[in-house]
Amino acid sequence: MIRAIRGATTADENTRESIFSAVQELMARIMDANSLDTADIADIIFTATPDITAVFPAAAVRGMGITDVPLLDMAAPDVDGALKMCIRVMIHINTEFGNDQLRHIYLKGARSLRPDLAKKISVAIDGPAGAGKSSVAKRAAKDMGYVYIDTGAMYRTVGVYGLINDIDVINKPEDIVSELDRIRIDISYEGGMQKMYLNGADVSERIREQDASMAASAVATVREVRARLVELQREMAKKGGVVMDGRDIGSVVLPDAELKIYLTASVYERAMRRYREYIEKNMECDFESLRQEVEARDKNDMTRAESPLVQTEDAVLLDTSEMNFEEAVAAVEEFIRKAEEYSAV
Ligand code: DC
């Protein structure tokens, strides 16, 4: 039976090299995903948008050593608002498989053509305080159509409960345990923002104050607190399509996440970023005490007995010390795209 497999990709530039690499990646992925052998292929038809002029896409197939398959290049219609630099392919194959068993592959910019085929994965982002995890994760999630879950906000909410109720969480964090049944945390997403409610009161801003950071770090050392919050986090991630950030996401909360990123930056750089944030908000601060606080939280988070912050073996390292925000977002999005493509096979 002759059946057809579809695919598409985009070239980064209108150069022979860029077009060859895009087409060869697309062909390799289609052949791999469908366990195709050259002998199964009846013919291959490419279309290219009018901005692809450097080379015929089919030439890239010859470049892969596929010489005995009939190939054809055609011009895609010049449609208003169409995806730029797009190369589409239709491969006719001889197969016993039904249409529902064939894998169509859309890569790079062309993923947007078939959102129904994109597999959403679970993304775990861990790293020390102030590395930019939340802002980077939030933006990447928005761009890629994922739900962002900030787990630090949950520990902060428990910490704030302690502060409001005069529990000495810094020196005796375990005192929070007897209070756990009186702490109700609700989370809602309003305009893409994660809002935190503590026993019905909106504490989304209160949890960002400086004293809430240390209180969170302190209560996060308590096993019972972690057990409660981890359960909540797993429940929220059940359906997939989440970018979750924290300290133990890859190691404990979502050990099977398809993508784990350890996002970090130097102590100096992290303290400097916090310093700039405070200055921008006209909040009082002192660089040296911020630096010491970053160090203290690192120590707390990395050396505690319960689920310490670690880079798991299967996590990719992303050091953003020398990156600006946009560069860090781009790097995370690229990791997500690759992991989606990989797990779709
Ligand atoms: O990411 P953050 O600064 O909002 O986190 C606040 C504290 O909560 C942090 O010092 C450690 C703790 N935390 C944790 O132990 N595990 C998580 N998954 C997230 C945060």
Side-chain angles (χ1 to χ4, degrees), residues 125-134 156 245-248 261-267 270 273-274 293-295 297-299 301-302 309-311 317-321:
I125 304 188
D126 290 298
K133 291 189 304 297
S134 11
R156 285 171 180 268
D245 85 355
R247 305 292 188 287
D248 59 340
I261 301 175
Y262 189 84
L263 198 149
T264 188
S266 67
V267 170
R270 287 186 281 136
R273 288 176 191 171
R274 276 276 138 94
E293 199 206 313
V294 166
E295 269 181 344
R297 283 178 69 199
D298 278 5
K299 187 157 175 276
D301 297 346
M302 293 174 182
L309 169 65
V310 283
Q311 181 188 345
L317 175 68
L318 186 62
D319 186 331
T320 66
S321 305

Side-chain angles (χ1 to χ4, degrees), residues 129 133 150-153 155-156 208 213 216-217 220 226 233 245-249 297 301 304:
K133 291 189 304 297
D150 173 2
T151 64
Y155 291 93
R156 285 171 180 268
R208 298 296 156 201
S213 302
S217 190
R226 302 204 70 84
Q233 291 153 13
D245 85 355
R247 305 292 188 287
D248 59 340
I249 311 304
R297 283 178 69 199
D301 297 346
R304 67 185 180 210

Side-chain angles (χ1 to χ4, degrees), residues 188-233:
S188 78
Y189 291 89
E190 294 164 29
M193 299 286 282
Q194 178 175 307
K195 288 259 187 187
M196 300 301 297
Y197 294 85
L198 171 59
N199 294 334
D202 183 351
V203 289
S204 313
E205 285 181 17
R206 176 67 185 89
I207 61 169
R208 298 296 156 201
E209 286 172 27
Q210 208 169 352
D211 58 349
S213 302
M214 277 319 280
S217 190
V219 296
T221 60
V222 180
R223 179 187 310 170
E224 290 82 350
V225 172
R226 302 204 70 84
R228 173 76 61 97
L229 296 186
V230 166
E231 193 186 316
L232 183 63
Q233 291 153 13

Side-chain angles (χ1 to χ4, degrees), residues 216-339:
S217 190
V219 296
T221 60
V222 180
R223 179 187 310 170
E224 290 82 350
V225 172
R226 302 204 70 84
R228 173 76 61 97
L229 296 186
V230 166
E231 193 186 316
L232 183 63
Q233 291 153 13
R234 287 193 180 137
E235 188 57 37
M236 293 177 76
K238 243 185 190 162
K239 282 197 235 127
V242 294
V243 176
M244 186 177 275
D245 85 355
R247 305 292 188 287
D248 59 340
I249 311 304
S251 56
V252 176
V253 183
L254 305 175
D256 297 328
E258 288 90 341
L259 172 64
K260 298 179 184 178
I261 301 175
Y262 189 84
L263 198 149
T264 188
S266 67
V267 170
Y268 176 85
E269 190 53 36
R270 287 186 281 136
M272 188 48 101
R273 288 176 191 171
R274 276 276 138 94
Y275 181 72
R276 288 194 206 108
E277 272 172 34
Y278 281 114
I279 296 284
E280 252 171 47
K281 290 182 194 158
N282 286 325
M283 284 162 81
E284 220 172 278
C285 69
D286 152 61
F287 178 76
E288 186 48 28
S289 64
L290 282 176
R291 198 189 60 75
Q292 283 173 12
E293 199 206 313
V294 166
E295 269 181 344
R297 283 178 69 199
D298 278 5
K299 187 157 175 276
N300 245 8
D301 297 346
M302 293 174 182
T303 61
R304 67 185 180 210
E306 296 298 326
S307 314
L309 169 65
V310 283
Q311 181 188 345
T312 57
E313 262 180 25
D314 52 355
V316 286
L317 175 68
L318 186 62
D319 186 331
T320 66
S321 305
E322 309 274 310
M323 287 183 184
N324 63 31
F325 176 69
E326 295 297 334
E327 288 167 334
V329 170
V332 167
E333 292 184 1
E334 188 55 22
F335 283 137
I336 297 179
R337 261 181 228 113
K338 288 258 156 62

